[in-house]
Amino acid sequence: MWWIAAGLAAAILVVAGYGLHRFCIMLEDHGYLYYRKSGTGGGSAVLFEIDQFVRPSVQHVQNVDEEVIHRRDDDGDGDDDGDGDDAGDDDGDDS
């Protein structure tokens, strides 16, 4: 009789685990959680934290080779100056 209760408990754990998995995927799709598509391995970050705890004098540094800033046209007129007119005249008169 105990095996029925154990089987039922195992089935409930599997269903709850799958529900939690689907919930985490939904949160990741909405941008609230890094779950599966996070890119580089998160396990190595844990090892770096442990290493920093064990050897606090060692500092891990990441160098940036090149920083690129992209401008975005927010006013919708097609140019990148952000003034709202695309005629090219300097007086601000659109006539």
Side-chain angles (χ1 to χ4, degrees):
M1 189 66 126
W2 63 269
W3 56 273
I4 294 175
L8 185 61
I12 289 172
L13 283 175
V14 167
V15 170
Y18 182 73
L20 180 64
H21 168 72
R22 296 303 304 171
F23 180 69
C24 289
I25 289 176
M26 182 199 66
L27 288 177
E28 183 179 35
D29 288 341
H30 290 279
Y32 296 120
L33 178 68
Y34 289 117
Y35 180 54
R36 293 178 56 186
K37 302 175 189 171
S38 63
T40 60
S44 62
V46 171
L47 293 177
F48 281 128
E49 292 297 325
I50 291 173
D51 188 42
Q52 186 178 7
F53 179 73
V54 173
R55 300 184 302 171
S57 63
V58 176
Q59 299 248 340
H60 299 283
V61 179
Q62 182 177 7
N63 293 326
V64 177
D65 293 332
E66 181 179 345
E67 183 175 344
V68 178
I69 299 173
H70 296 281
R71 290 183 48 123
R72 190 174 75 184
D73 182 25
D74 287 336
D75 57 1
D77 61 356
D79 60 352
D80 286 336
D81 60 358
D83 62 356
D85 63 346
D86 56 353
D89 54 353
D90 292 333
D91 60 357
D93 186 24
D94 289 337
S95 57

